[in-house]
Amino acid sequence: IIMAKKKKVVKEKVDQRLTFLNAQIAAAKQAFNNDNIYAISEHSKMLYGIPFPSLALEYLFTSNVMLMSKLIGLAGQKGSLKSSFGFEILRWFIEWRGLGALVETENKISEQCGNVLQDMQPYCQLALVKSTQAAQQQVSFCEEKHASSEDMKDVPLCIVIDSLTGSEGDKTKEDMVTTGHAVKGYSENALIWTTWLRAKSADLIGKPISIVFTNHLKEKVGGAVRPGMPAQKTTPGGKGQEFHATYYV
């Protein structure tokens, strides 16, 4: 009898929680005028996103949805498929009737990725840029165009920047012309991106937009490595970019 009463109390609490959550989701769908909204509850705060296509990704991101209004960082060594993962995230958004934009700074797209982009037209746009400032301006242009459209401003938008280290700042480019390529190692580009990401993390709040950026993972130069231990890895720009990202894979 005691066990039956306990089960009844637990069931009532679960039913109340589900009723409350369903009411919140219904209110969100009405507010955004979009049925393709999934939500999870974190304390009393509602988090909006699109569902992950696999259990492995839910485990990786410790969530069952790809959250909106967030910065997502993807770091990896050469050939680790970080760019392909960014393409895959674009595809998720478009599958859920969203929009996508790829800001390519390295000017290298494989034939397979080019075919994927072609299949996603006209819902995904490609922009080839050569400088850090041009990449940031392109992201701002996508956001402004998205916000100015009455039909599209509530539609999920994913912007992928591939990659942060594929571009150089305007000042570095000018110095390379006058001084030579020896200045290319200066940290100006990393500082520009870190400052931009800090401002962007706050600017995205309340918008149905996610920004994904890729970065290169390299072995750390200098410092003692214990025998049998793997070499330490680092990304250009240090930990600043990792700090401002909600997800950093």
Side-chain angles (χ1 to χ4, degrees), residues 45-73:
K45 181 181 178 183
M46 287 297 298
L47 304 174
Y48 303 97
I50 61 171
F52 284 118
S54 73
L55 179 61
L57 288 164
E58 291 181 10
Y59 177 82
L60 176 65
F61 285 90
T62 63
S63 172
N64 60 358
V65 294
M66 169 66 78
L67 298 178
M68 301 288 186
S69 312
K70 305 297 181 183
L71 291 170
I72 299 125

mmCIF file of all heavy atoms in Angstrom, residues 45-73:
data_model
loop_
_atom_site.group_PDB
_atom_site.id
_atom_site.type_symbol
_atom_site.label_atom_id
_atom_site.label_comp_id
_atom_site.label_asym_id
_atom_site.label_seq_id
_atom_site.Cartn_x
_atom_site.Cartn_y
_atom_site.Cartn_z
ATOM 1 N N LYS A 45 14.374 28.585 -16.669
ATOM 2 C CA LYS A 45 14.681 29.272 -17.923
ATOM 3 C C LYS A 45 14.372 28.357 -19.097
ATOM 4 O O LYS A 45 14.732 27.184 -19.099
ATOM 5 C CB LYS A 45 16.157 29.672 -17.942
ATOM 6 C CG LYS A 45 16.574 30.425 -19.189
ATOM 7 C CD LYS A 45 18.063 30.753 -19.100
ATOM 8 C CE LYS A 45 18.527 31.467 -20.356
ATOM 9 N NZ LYS A 45 19.982 31.734 -20.306
ATOM 10 N N MET A 46 13.701 28.903 -20.115
ATOM 11 C CA MET A 46 13.402 28.127 -21.311
ATOM 12 C C MET A 46 14.554 28.237 -22.302
ATOM 13 O O MET A 46 15.089 29.326 -22.520
ATOM 14 C CB MET A 46 12.115 28.633 -21.962
ATOM 15 C CG MET A 46 10.863 28.265 -21.199
ATOM 16 S SD MET A 46 10.604 26.484 -21.102
ATOM 17 C CE MET A 46 10.428 26.075 -22.825
ATOM 18 N N LEU A 47 14.939 27.112 -22.880
ATOM 19 C CA LEU A 47 15.993 27.073 -23.880
ATOM 20 C C LEU A 47 15.404 26.540 -25.182
ATOM 21 O O LEU A 47 14.747 25.498 -25.177
ATOM 22 C CB LEU A 47 17.136 26.162 -23.408
ATOM 23 C CG LEU A 47 17.749 26.517 -22.049
ATOM 24 C CD1 LEU A 47 18.763 25.458 -21.641
ATOM 25 C CD2 LEU A 47 18.394 27.889 -22.074
ATOM 26 N N TYR A 48 15.637 27.241 -26.285
ATOM 27 C CA TYR A 48 15.043 26.886 -27.562
ATOM 28 C C TYR A 48 16.109 26.324 -28.498
ATOM 29 O O TYR A 48 17.264 26.755 -28.483
ATOM 30 C CB TYR A 48 14.375 28.102 -28.204
ATOM 31 C CG TYR A 48 13.321 28.735 -27.331
ATOM 32 C CD1 TYR A 48 13.616 29.833 -26.533
ATOM 33 C CD2 TYR A 48 12.037 28.198 -27.281
ATOM 34 C CE1 TYR A 48 12.657 30.391 -25.712
ATOM 35 C CE2 TYR A 48 11.075 28.751 -26.465
ATOM 36 C CZ TYR A 48 11.386 29.853 -25.683
ATOM 37 O OH TYR A 48 10.434 30.400 -24.861
ATOM 38 N N GLY A 49 15.685 25.362 -29.327
ATOM 39 C CA GLY A 49 16.643 24.803 -30.260
ATOM 40 C C GLY A 49 15.983 23.836 -31.220
ATOM 41 O O GLY A 49 14.765 23.667 -31.224
ATOM 42 N N ILE A 50 16.811 23.193 -32.051
ATOM 43 C CA ILE A 50 16.322 22.167 -32.966
ATOM 44 C C ILE A 50 16.853 20.826 -32.488
ATOM 45 O O ILE A 50 17.932 20.753 -31.908
ATOM 46 C CB ILE A 50 16.766 22.448 -34.420
ATOM 47 C CG1 ILE A 50 18.291 22.449 -34.536
ATOM 48 C CG2 ILE A 50 16.202 23.756 -34.916
ATOM 49 C CD1 ILE A 50 18.788 22.513 -35.954
ATOM 50 N N PRO A 51 16.102 19.737 -32.689
ATOM 51 C CA PRO A 51 16.510 18.440 -32.128
ATOM 52 C C PRO A 51 17.747 17.870 -32.811
ATOM 53 O O PRO A 51 17.949 18.043 -34.012
ATOM 54 C CB PRO A 51 15.279 17.559 -32.372
ATOM 55 C CG PRO A 51 14.532 18.207 -33.479
ATOM 56 C CD PRO A 51 14.797 19.670 -33.372
ATOM 57 N N PHE A 52 18.586 17.204 -32.025
ATOM 58 C CA PHE A 52 19.735 16.502 -32.584
ATOM 59 C C PHE A 52 19.260 15.247 -33.315
ATOM 60 O O PHE A 52 18.296 14.601 -32.890
ATOM 61 C CB PHE A 52 20.716 16.105 -31.485
ATOM 62 C CG PHE A 52 21.545 17.237 -30.962
ATOM 63 C CD1 PHE A 52 21.449 17.624 -29.635
ATOM 64 C CD2 PHE A 52 22.424 17.910 -31.784
ATOM 65 C CE1 PHE A 52 22.217 18.663 -29.136
ATOM 66 C CE2 PHE A 52 23.193 18.954 -31.306
ATOM 67 C CZ PHE A 52 23.084 19.332 -29.983
ATOM 68 N N PRO A 53 19.951 14.851 -34.393
ATOM 69 C CA PRO A 53 19.499 13.682 -35.161
ATOM 70 C C PRO A 53 19.962 12.341 -34.594
ATOM 71 O O PRO A 53 19.626 11.311 -35.152
ATOM 72 C CB PRO A 53 20.113 13.927 -36.544
ATOM 73 C CG PRO A 53 21.331 14.732 -36.275
ATOM 74 C CD PRO A 53 21.021 15.586 -35.084
ATOM 75 N N SER A 54 20.750 12.335 -33.517
ATOM 76 C CA SER A 54 21.223 11.046 -33.004
ATOM 77 C C SER A 54 21.477 11.124 -31.502
ATOM 78 O O SER A 54 21.717 12.201 -30.938
ATOM 79 C CB SER A 54 22.513 10.619 -33.718
ATOM 80 O OG SER A 54 23.603 11.416 -33.278
ATOM 81 N N LEU A 55 21.450 9.951 -30.871
ATOM 82 C CA LEU A 55 21.722 9.851 -29.440
ATOM 83 C C LEU A 55 23.176 10.222 -29.143
ATOM 84 O O LEU A 55 23.475 10.826 -28.110
ATOM 85 C CB LEU A 55 21.433 8.427 -28.953
ATOM 86 C CG LEU A 55 21.691 8.146 -27.471
ATOM 87 C CD1 LEU A 55 20.812 9.017 -26.590
ATOM 88 C CD2 LEU A 55 21.458 6.669 -27.163
ATOM 89 N N ALA A 56 24.099 9.882 -30.045
ATOM 90 C CA ALA A 56 25.511 10.195 -29.828
ATOM 91 C C ALA A 56 25.733 11.706 -29.705
ATOM 92 O O ALA A 56 26.522 12.162 -28.867
ATOM 93 C CB ALA A 56 26.342 9.641 -30.986
ATOM 94 N N LEU A 57 25.017 12.483 -30.525
ATOM 95 C CA LEU A 57 25.157 13.942 -30.459
ATOM 96 C C LEU A 57 24.520 14.497 -29.186
ATOM 97 O O LEU A 57 25.022 15.460 -28.607
ATOM 98 C CB LEU A 57 24.528 14.582 -31.696
ATOM 99 C CG LEU A 57 25.323 14.372 -32.988
ATOM 100 C CD1 LEU A 57 24.481 14.679 -34.199
ATOM 101 C CD2 LEU A 57 26.573 15.237 -32.976
ATOM 102 N N GLU A 58 23.412 13.908 -28.752
ATOM 103 C CA GLU A 58 22.804 14.316 -27.486
ATOM 104 C C GLU A 58 23.791 14.085 -26.339
ATOM 105 O O GLU A 58 23.912 14.908 -25.427
ATOM 106 C CB GLU A 58 21.515 13.540 -27.237
ATOM 107 C CG GLU A 58 20.389 13.907 -28.195
ATOM 108 C CD GLU A 58 19.110 13.133 -27.902
ATOM 109 O OE1 GLU A 58 19.056 12.456 -26.843
ATOM 110 O OE2 GLU A 58 18.175 13.200 -28.712
ATOM 111 N N TYR A 59 24.500 12.970 -26.392
ATOM 112 C CA TYR A 59 25.494 12.663 -25.363
ATOM 113 C C TYR A 59 26.657 13.653 -25.433
ATOM 114 O O TYR A 59 27.133 14.152 -24.408
ATOM 115 C CB TYR A 59 26.001 11.232 -25.555
ATOM 116 C CG TYR A 59 27.093 10.832 -24.594
ATOM 117 C CD1 TYR A 59 26.786 10.409 -23.301
ATOM 118 C CD2 TYR A 59 28.427 10.891 -24.974
ATOM 119 C CE1 TYR A 59 27.788 10.048 -22.416
ATOM 120 C CE2 TYR A 59 29.437 10.532 -24.085
ATOM 121 C CZ TYR A 59 29.115 10.107 -22.809
ATOM 122 O OH TYR A 59 30.107 9.764 -21.946
ATOM 123 N N LEU A 60 27.121 13.954 -26.645
ATOM 124 C CA LEU A 60 28.257 14.853 -26.836
ATOM 125 C C LEU A 60 27.956 16.253 -26.310
ATOM 126 O O LEU A 60 28.773 16.866 -25.624
ATOM 127 C CB LEU A 60 28.627 14.920 -28.321
ATOM 128 C CG LEU A 60 29.738 15.902 -28.707
ATOM 129 C CD1 LEU A 60 31.067 15.478 -28.083
ATOM 130 C CD2 LEU A 60 29.878 15.986 -30.222
ATOM 131 N N PHE A 61 26.755 16.765 -26.629
ATOM 132 C CA PHE A 61 26.391 18.130 -26.256
ATOM 133 C C PHE A 61 25.636 18.189 -24.928
ATOM 134 O O PHE A 61 25.222 19.270 -24.508
ATOM 135 C CB PHE A 61 25.525 18.757 -27.349
ATOM 136 C CG PHE A 61 26.306 19.151 -28.580
ATOM 137 C CD1 PHE A 61 26.488 18.253 -29.618
ATOM 138 C CD2 PHE A 61 26.850 20.421 -28.698
ATOM 139 C CE1 PHE A 61 27.197 18.610 -30.756
ATOM 140 C CE2 PHE A 61 27.558 20.785 -29.824
ATOM 141 C CZ PHE A 61 27.740 19.879 -30.858
ATOM 142 N N THR A 62 25.409 17.032 -24.288
ATOM 143 C CA THR A 62 24.665 16.935 -23.022
ATOM 144 C C THR A 62 23.334 17.683 -23.097
ATOM 145 O O THR A 62 22.950 18.408 -22.177
ATOM 146 C CB THR A 62 25.493 17.463 -21.822
ATOM 147 O OG1 THR A 62 25.768 18.857 -22.004
ATOM 148 C CG2 THR A 62 26.783 16.696 -21.683
ATOM 149 N N SER A 63 22.646 17.506 -24.198
ATOM 150 C CA SER A 63 21.342 18.143 -24.409
ATOM 151 C C SER A 63 20.645 17.385 -25.525
ATOM 152 O O SER A 63 21.287 16.682 -26.302
ATOM 153 C CB SER A 63 21.523 19.618 -24.795
ATOM 154 O OG SER A 63 20.287 20.192 -25.183
ATOM 155 N N ASN A 64 19.313 17.516 -25.610
ATOM 156 C CA ASN A 64 18.615 16.860 -26.720
ATOM 157 C C ASN A 64 18.240 17.837 -27.830
ATOM 158 O O ASN A 64 17.557 17.469 -28.768
ATOM 159 C CB ASN A 64 17.369 16.115 -26.223
ATOM 160 C CG ASN A 64 16.371 17.044 -25.558
ATOM 161 O OD1 ASN A 64 16.607 18.235 -25.420
ATOM 162 N ND2 ASN A 64 15.248 16.490 -25.148
ATOM 163 N N VAL A 65 18.693 19.101 -27.710
ATOM 164 C CA VAL A 65 18.468 20.071 -28.785
ATOM 165 C C VAL A 65 19.727 20.897 -29.010
ATOM 166 O O VAL A 65 20.521 21.102 -28.084
ATOM 167 C CB VAL A 65 17.293 21.033 -28.472
ATOM 168 C CG1 VAL A 65 15.973 20.308 -28.434
ATOM 169 C CG2 VAL A 65 17.543 21.804 -27.187
ATOM 170 N N MET A 66 19.922 21.351 -30.261
ATOM 171 C CA MET A 66 20.962 22.327 -30.575
ATOM 172 C C MET A 66 20.411 23.704 -30.241
ATOM 173 O O MET A 66 19.462 24.176 -30.862
ATOM 174 C CB MET A 66 21.333 22.243 -32.060
ATOM 175 C CG MET A 66 22.211 23.391 -32.546
ATOM 176 S SD MET A 66 23.845 23.408 -31.801
ATOM 177 C CE MET A 66 24.646 22.129 -32.759
ATOM 178 N N LEU A 67 20.976 24.322 -29.210
ATOM 179 C CA LEU A 67 20.406 25.552 -28.678
ATOM 180 C C LEU A 67 20.571 26.733 -29.629
ATOM 181 O O LEU A 67 21.576 26.847 -30.337
ATOM 182 C CB LEU A 67 21.060 25.893 -27.345
ATOM 183 C CG LEU A 67 20.858 24.878 -26.225
ATOM 184 C CD1 LEU A 67 21.602 25.318 -24.980
ATOM 185 C CD2 LEU A 67 19.385 24.697 -25.932
ATOM 186 N N MET A 68 19.573 27.615 -29.633
ATOM 187 C CA MET A 68 19.626 28.859 -30.394
ATOM 188 C C MET A 68 20.333 29.937 -29.565
ATOM 189 O O MET A 68 20.567 29.779 -28.372
ATOM 190 C CB MET A 68 18.214 29.338 -30.734
ATOM 191 C CG MET A 68 17.407 28.347 -31.529
ATOM 192 S SD MET A 68 18.009 28.228 -33.210
ATOM 193 C CE MET A 68 16.761 27.167 -33.907
ATOM 194 N N SER A 69 20.637 31.042 -30.213
ATOM 195 C CA SER A 69 21.233 32.222 -29.564
ATOM 196 C C SER A 69 22.581 31.893 -28.938
ATOM 197 O O SER A 69 22.959 32.496 -27.923
ATOM 198 C CB SER A 69 20.292 32.789 -28.490
ATOM 199 O OG SER A 69 18.984 32.936 -28.972
ATOM 200 N N LYS A 70 23.310 30.944 -29.529
ATOM 201 C CA LYS A 70 24.560 30.492 -28.929
ATOM 202 C C LYS A 70 25.714 30.531 -29.932
ATOM 203 O O LYS A 70 25.510 30.524 -31.138
ATOM 204 C CB LYS A 70 24.419 29.062 -28.393
ATOM 205 C CG LYS A 70 23.266 28.844 -27.417
ATOM 206 C CD LYS A 70 23.420 29.655 -26.152
ATOM 207 C CE LYS A 70 22.273 29.388 -25.185
ATOM 208 N NZ LYS A 70 22.375 30.222 -23.962
ATOM 209 N N LEU A 71 26.936 30.548 -29.369
ATOM 210 C CA LEU A 71 28.160 30.377 -30.154
ATOM 211 C C LEU A 71 28.642 28.943 -29.970
ATOM 212 O O LEU A 71 28.703 28.446 -28.849
ATOM 213 C CB LEU A 71 29.242 31.348 -29.678
ATOM 214 C CG LEU A 71 29.033 32.840 -29.945
ATOM 215 C CD1 LEU A 71 30.069 33.660 -29.198
ATOM 216 C CD2 LEU A 71 29.100 33.140 -31.438
ATOM 217 N N ILE A 72 28.983 28.291 -31.069
ATOM 218 C CA ILE A 72 29.443 26.904 -31.025
ATOM 219 C C ILE A 72 30.812 26.836 -31.685
ATOM 220 O O ILE A 72 30.958 27.232 -32.846
ATOM 221 C CB ILE A 72 28.473 25.953 -31.744
ATOM 222 C CG1 ILE A 72 27.099 25.993 -31.055
ATOM 223 C CG2 ILE A 72 28.992 24.529 -31.756
ATOM 224 C CD1 ILE A 72 25.976 26.317 -31.956
ATOM 225 N N GLY A 73 31.818 26.358 -30.944
ATOM 226 C CA GLY A 73 33.172 26.245 -31.480
ATOM 227 C C GLY A 73 33.533 24.812 -31.806
ATOM 228 O O GLY A 73 33.251 23.897 -31.025
#
